[in-house]
Amino acid sequence: MSDLKVLRLVKKSEGDPPEKAFMAEAVAKPEPQPAAAPAIKPVAAPPPIKPVPARGDQQQRQQQRQQQRQQQSQRHRQQQKPQPKLTLSPEQMLKIFRTMYLSRRLDDKEIQMKGQNRIFFQISGAGHEAILVAAGLCLKPGYDWFYPYYRDRALCLQLGMTPLEQLLQSVGAAADPASHGRQMPSHWGHKKLNIVSQSSPTGTQLLQAVGCAEAGYRVKLIKELKKLVEGFHNDEVVYVSLGDGTTSEGEFWEALNTACNLKLPVLFLLEDNGYAISVPVEVQTAGGDVSRLIEGFPNLYRQRCDGTDPIESLAVMRRAVDHCRKGRGPSFVHAKVIRPYSHSLSDDEKLYRCEAERVSDAEHDPVKRFGALLVHEGIASQEELQQLKDEVDREINEAADIALASPQPAPETALEFIYSPTVDPTSPEFDTEDRVELSGKPGTMVDLINRCLHTEMKRDPRIVAFGEDIADCSREELLDQVKGKGGVFKVTANLQREFGSARVFNSPLAEANIVGRAIGMATRGLKPVVEIQFFDYIWPAYHQIRNELALLRWRSGNEFSAPLVMRVPIGGYLKGGAIYHSQSGVSIFTQIPGLRVVYPSNALDANGLLRTSIRCDDPVLFLEHKHLYRQAYNKSPYPSDDFMIPFGKAKTVREGTDLSIITYGALVQRSVVAAKQAEQQGISVEVIDLRTMNPYDWNAIAESVKKTSRVIVAHEDTMSWGYGAEIAARISNELFECLDAPVRRVAALDCFVAYAPQLEDAILPQAADVAKAIVELRQY
């Protein structure tokens, strides 16, 4: 057999080919040419499921489905060309089986430990082992990047994660490398192996994986980045996996769209076990086959395989990875697998799966089938295979004993890593306000934000800016012929002209796409400054913001983070903004641990706070009130390029002795107007501008309240459950003895903002409302 070519896997073997090798037909097509779009490859038709007794329509539908599967399989076989041989040595075959068996037995061990109440959750990767080991063999740990989902135990083992490391997560040990006891089991993460921390929401990892790959794409385009960021390789691949149910998520389609549009090296692995908990694939997907639905995506290399067959899976994965590694665009592998166990130990599949179907799954068990194949082909005897199994079982039992004896995180560590432990944006390092030097003609808030973006992008080549309409002109050849867009409010005007389209570019009209991609880029060391065009449309991105961006550092125990800035125009007082251009739901975001929320009221503060936001090491929601963008009263000359205002530092806009107003945003000026009116009645009012909402300056609030003994909290958000409720509650709780009157709030009505100007004025708090509250509280 000296003429056989041994498949080189992760490490190239040395010497002559082995005397005995197993050969199988590879299902992958010959390597595609760049100009030709490769066809989807077929899955071998599985043995038909034995039908349960059925009558009438039910039996007829089963027969029709079976006939359709057979016809489809026949069509694919007719289209298939002769395939190359794939050769593996006996040693390689045994290693594959060992990892598959190890994965299965770890699942079984966790199930046993859950039954003993020694762990608290279990979700298995059973039935998915073959395709995942194949994927791990074709990819490079610590070189490529990985965004797995909860079934990917075997992949992580193949990449180098140890049984002990996986069991440390099961028991919630502090030494767990994935999360240090903060995530439930099977939520993979490993800094050394480039396995990025995984969360529970299905599909959120897809856009992040695209952003991760896009970071490498941007590094190739931006020369300055090559010296500033580390860990990028010209042929790196980003792996991301998902179940068939996840293809129903919109972010799946958004991820495919961007990956194909930019020809990014993303390997999408669909592990199709036919069920999303209890919902079968034909209910999830039109036609029951997502591969048929994605045929129109350009630059996408599509393949299918029997994911329970490691040899077939290995051939397909090798082709898919090569396609990505050679820069030809993304690959999509549709692997048909089984789910022999319930969705998780919280689920009972017997409630919705018939006996015949579960028996059929058992007959296709990849671990049992591959073990039988090894014996049949003479790769190993039954006794040798049993010795291997006994060795794996001993390894798992020893690892379980160590894991169970490992300490859990100390209670006092709960608040660690909510924010960056090394960069503190509230520190004096970020405070240059007292020595600010101003020059030039006064500019509006738009002008000074734009200036800050220009100076910071010049200072730091890692900054990339993108969002809807933020570029001057996506068609670069037209830049000399047009004035340029630069955002609907012109805040990003001329950024693309100065820094190029590799750093300033438009995104699809998809808010989750913007934030999800930014998370992936930030994880790789870039500094995205993205724009959500209107606060009113931020909600599609809320999933990414709440469950991913703000949580990444904490849930990984500081192994991963995503420092970025989201600029968001917000607020009403527009005369025509109406319901969907006037929202002010600040409190929805200030309650999220891990997210900084900033809200300047004037041009100078906007400049200094944005610079701090960009230079800090946490995710920041930077809110820009649309009504304040071009107001003459908040203009300012330009500060120097190092001007910064720290977070958590309020500003006393107006000194007073009789009453304090705690406010922010558009209510600052309205409060100043009301305070001047009250002064004519002999009432001295102090106005405090918070400037940052999370963190906020409690010391400034306390000092003012202690001085005046009366306080109004004024905000544009609704009265009920608005941001001011937290401030008012804390004042009442901690400063009660300092008060001479109840804490008063001035806020919007508990409804949405209307289009008619007179109605809008009645809904939003006005200076007259603040003035009335001042008089009434002073008279209390």
Side-chain angles (χ1 to χ4, degrees):
M1 305 181 74
S2 59
D3 60 333
L4 298 178
K5 294 182 179 179
V6 179
L7 175 65
R8 306 304 185 189
L9 300 177
V10 179
K11 295 182 179 179
K12 293 184 177 180
S13 58
E14 298 179 355
D16 297 328
E19 294 182 0
K20 183 188 295 184
F22 175 74
M23 300 180 61
E25 292 292 332
V27 299
K29 289 178 73 70
E31 201 161 58
Q33 298 300 316
I40 299 176
K41 295 314 301 166
V43 180
I49 298 173
K50 298 177 182 179
V52 295
R55 296 181 181 179
D57 293 343
Q58 183 180 357
Q59 187 172 12
Q60 185 178 1
R61 283 196 298 270
Q62 288 179 342
Q63 291 173 350
Q64 289 175 346
R65 283 196 296 268
Q66 182 175 344
Q67 185 178 4
Q68 290 172 353
R69 286 196 297 267
Q70 292 173 347
Q71 291 174 349
Q72 184 181 16
S73 180
Q74 184 177 0
R75 286 195 301 269
H76 287 318
R77 283 196 298 270
Q78 291 172 351
Q79 297 170 359
Q80 190 171 349
K81 298 178 180 180
Q83 304 302 325
K85 302 286 186 178
L86 174 65
T87 307
L88 292 175
S89 71
E91 291 77 12
Q92 291 168 330
M93 299 278 282
L94 286 171
K95 286 181 180 179
I96 290 172
F97 176 79
R98 189 185 194 282
T99 306
M100 291 171 59
Y101 182 77
L102 177 63
S103 179
R104 180 66 61 86
R105 294 299 288 157
L106 278 167
D107 276 329
D108 293 338
K109 187 63 178 180
E110 286 186 347
I111 292 170
Q112 179 192 59
M113 295 166 72
K114 176 67 169 64
Q116 298 168 342
N117 290 322
R118 306 179 86 178
I119 68 172
F120 321 107
F121 178 80
Q122 207 282 331
I123 189 165
S124 80
H128 295 228
E129 296 94 347
I131 184 64
L132 292 170
V133 171
L137 286 168
C138 297
L139 294 161
K140 303 176 184 180
Y143 186 97
D144 297 320
W145 286 79
F146 303 89
Y147 286 80
Y149 90 119
Y150 47 79
R151 304 283 185 209
D152 284 16
R153 181 189 299 279
L155 169 78
C156 295
L157 290 169
Q158 183 61 50
L159 293 176
M161 202 171 183
T162 67
L164 175 58
E165 288 175 325
Q166 294 195 352
L167 289 169
L168 286 170
Q169 187 179 45
S170 304
V171 302
D176 155 38
S179 71
H180 303 281
R182 294 179 172 187
Q183 278 274 54
M184 58 175 57
S186 297
H187 287 58
W188 314 111
H190 201 293
K191 182 73 171 179
K192 183 179 178 181
L193 301 174
N194 288 352
I195 303 173
V196 181
S197 170
Q198 180 203 329
S199 67
S200 292
T202 57
T204 49
Q205 76 276 17
L206 290 157
L207 285 168
Q208 295 166 36
V210 170
C212 178
E214 188 175 355
Y217 169 79
R218 300 286 164 192
V219 167
K220 293 177 184 178
L221 297 175
I222 306 168
K223 295 180 180 179
E224 302 93 328
L225 283 181
K226 296 179 180 179
K227 298 179 181 179
L228 294 176
V229 294
E230 299 178 352
F232 286 92
H233 308 282
N234 287 332
D235 64 345
E236 67 185 27
V237 176
V238 178
Y239 163 99
V240 62
S241 60
L242 64 154
D244 48 283
T246 300
T247 64
S248 298
E249 295 281 359
E251 293 182 23
F252 165 70
W253 300 94
E254 292 181 23
L256 276 179
N257 183 49
T258 296
C260 292
N261 202 22
L262 298 179
K263 294 184 67 174
L264 299 175
V266 181
L267 171 57
F268 295 89
L269 174 59
L270 170 58
E271 301 169 39
D272 182 358
N273 61 34
Y275 279 93
I277 305 186
S278 69
V279 183
V281 66
E282 69 269 16
V283 177
Q284 289 281 344
T285 305
D289 184 354
V290 74
S291 287
R292 300 297 297 269
L293 300 184
I294 65 170
E295 288 179 356
F297 278 96
N299 306 316
L300 182 63
Y301 182 39
R302 304 177 301 277
Q303 290 188 287
R304 307 175 69 132
C305 69
D306 178 359
T308 65
D309 183 341
I311 308 302
E312 183 177 324
S313 297
L314 185 57
V316 167
M317 291 303 301
R318 183 180 65 174
R319 297 296 185 192
V321 171
D322 284 348
H323 180 83
C324 292
R325 219 176 277 291
K326 291 179 178 178
R328 294 175 177 172
S331 294
F332 183 90
V333 175
H334 187 162
K336 189 68 180 72
V337 295
I338 62 168
R339 199 189 75 189
Y341 298 170
S342 294
H343 169 74
S344 71
L345 286 190
S346 302
D347 173 52
D348 182 1
E349 66 173 12
K350 294 179 182 179
L351 299 175
Y352 51 87
R353 298 185 72 185
C354 66
E355 177 66 18
E357 188 177 358
R358 290 186 289 112
V359 169
S360 178
D361 265 12
E363 292 173 352
H364 289 80
D365 189 305
V367 177
K368 293 178 181 178
R369 287 176 63 196
F370 195 52
L373 179 65
L374 294 180
V375 174
H376 181 269
E377 294 293 329
I379 303 297
S381 66
Q382 287 282 9
E383 292 74 18
E384 290 170 333
L385 215 57
Q386 188 59 50
Q387 289 177 359
L388 183 151
K389 292 179 179 179
D390 292 343
E391 175 189 317
V392 167
D393 290 342
R394 284 193 298 271
E395 180 183 358
I396 290 175
N397 288 332
E398 291 172 2
D401 291 340
I402 297 173
L404 288 167
S406 299
Q408 293 190 1
E412 59 269 21
T413 65
L415 295 179
E416 291 181 353
F417 309 130
I418 297 174
Y419 301 101
S420 171
T422 56
V423 180
D424 181 6
T426 70
S427 67
E429 177 185 354
F430 287 87
D431 192 351
T432 64
E433 190 171 20
D434 292 339
R435 55 181 185 274
V436 62
E437 296 180 1
L438 302 177
S439 62
K441 183 180 177 180
T444 64
M445 183 183 285
V446 167
D447 296 329
L448 267 69
I449 290 175
N450 182 270
R451 171 68 70 86
C452 179
L453 290 171
H454 272 85
T455 58
E456 287 301 293
M457 291 191 74
K458 185 176 181 179
R459 171 183 175 271
D460 187 354
R462 298 177 308 129
I463 298 174
V464 292
F466 63 99
E468 300 165 19
D469 299 301
I470 69 103
D472 293 305
C473 183
S474 289
R475 294 170 176 166
E476 289 185 280
E477 67 275 13
L478 301 179
L479 276 174
D480 293 337
Q481 304 175 39
V482 297
K483 184 177 181 180
K485 182 73 174 177
V488 295
F489 297 103
K490 307 297 291 182
V491 180
T492 55
N494 296 316
L495 287 178
Q496 180 193 9
R497 293 183 190 275
E498 181 170 348
F499 299 103
S501 299
R503 295 183 63 191
V504 183
F505 48 94
N506 286 328
S507 73
L509 200 159
E511 287 75 15
N513 179 285
I514 296 169
V515 177
R517 287 164 62 192
I519 294 171
M521 292 184 203
T523 303
R524 297 296 305 277
L526 301 190
K527 187 74 177 190
V529 179
V530 301
E531 178 182 303
I532 302 296
Q533 196 167 86
F534 289 93
F535 180 85
D536 314 70
Y537 308 132
I538 199 172
W539 311 115
Y542 190 78
H543 206 11
Q544 289 286 347
I545 297 170
R546 171 63 175 80
N547 284 323
E548 303 297 326
L549 175 61
L551 272 171
L552 181 59
R553 187 190 297 276
W554 189 87
R555 77 171 187 232
S556 69
N558 201 40
E559 299 291 346
F560 294 94
S561 63
L564 59 89
V565 179
M566 297 172 289
R567 294 183 37 257
V568 186
I570 190 174
Y573 302 105
L574 299 177
K575 299 302 184 215
I579 302 169
Y580 298 108
H581 294 82
S582 305
Q583 295 179 27
S584 298
V586 177
S587 61
I588 298 174
F589 292 89
T590 53
Q591 65 173 295
I592 302 175
L595 181 67
R596 308 285 192 181
V597 182
V598 180
Y599 204 146
S601 67
N602 58 79
L604 184 61
D605 286 356
N607 182 281
L609 288 168
L610 180 57
R611 186 168 286 104
T612 300
S613 300
I614 293 172
R615 297 188 187 184
C616 86
D617 197 34
D618 297 312
V620 179
L621 181 66
F622 192 85
L623 301 172
E624 303 167 6
H625 201 292
K626 301 185 293 291
H627 177 72
L628 301 180
Y629 267 152
R630 290 182 170 84
Q631 293 296 333
Y633 61 75
N634 69 15
K635 284 185 175 182
S636 170
Y638 291 86
S640 60
D641 294 348
D642 63 349
F643 174 62
M644 289 183 288
I645 298 172
F647 294 167
K649 181 185 177 184
K651 182 177 182 179
T652 303
V653 177
R654 193 175 192 277
E655 297 280 355
T657 57
D658 296 330
L659 187 147
S660 302
I661 298 178
I662 312 300
T663 189
Y664 59 89
L667 263 296
V668 172
Q669 177 64 15
R670 282 162 174 74
S671 296
V672 170
V673 170
K676 291 179 178 178
Q677 294 174 0
E679 188 175 30
Q680 297 176 3
Q681 302 180 45
I683 306 173
S684 176
V685 178
E686 183 159 285
V687 179
I688 304 294
D689 180 2
L690 289 176
R691 302 199 289 191
T692 64
M693 319 303 293
N694 185 18
Y696 63 86
D697 190 345
W698 173 248
N699 290 333
I701 294 171
E703 290 177 8
S704 182
V705 172
K706 289 176 182 178
K707 179 170 65 172
T708 67
S709 299
R710 286 176 170 81
V711 60
I712 294 172
V713 182
H715 59 83
E716 188 177 339
D717 208 351
T718 57
M719 175 70 77
S720 299
W721 303 287
Y723 180 81
E726 165 63 22
I727 304 297
R730 188 171 180 185
I731 292 172
S732 298
N733 183 52
E734 298 185 29
L735 302 174
F736 181 77
E737 294 180 352
C738 302
L739 295 173
D740 290 339
V743 178
R744 181 73 177 266
R745 282 183 291 157
V746 175
L749 301 181
D750 289 346
C751 67
F752 299 100
V753 179
Y755 173 74
Q758 184 172 333
L759 196 54
E760 181 193 58
D761 289 345
I763 292 168
L764 294 177
Q766 307 296 330
D769 299 314
V770 180
K772 179 182 177 183
I774 291 172
V775 173
E776 291 177 350
L777 193 63
R778 184 66 181 88
Q779 293 175 348
Y780 181 84

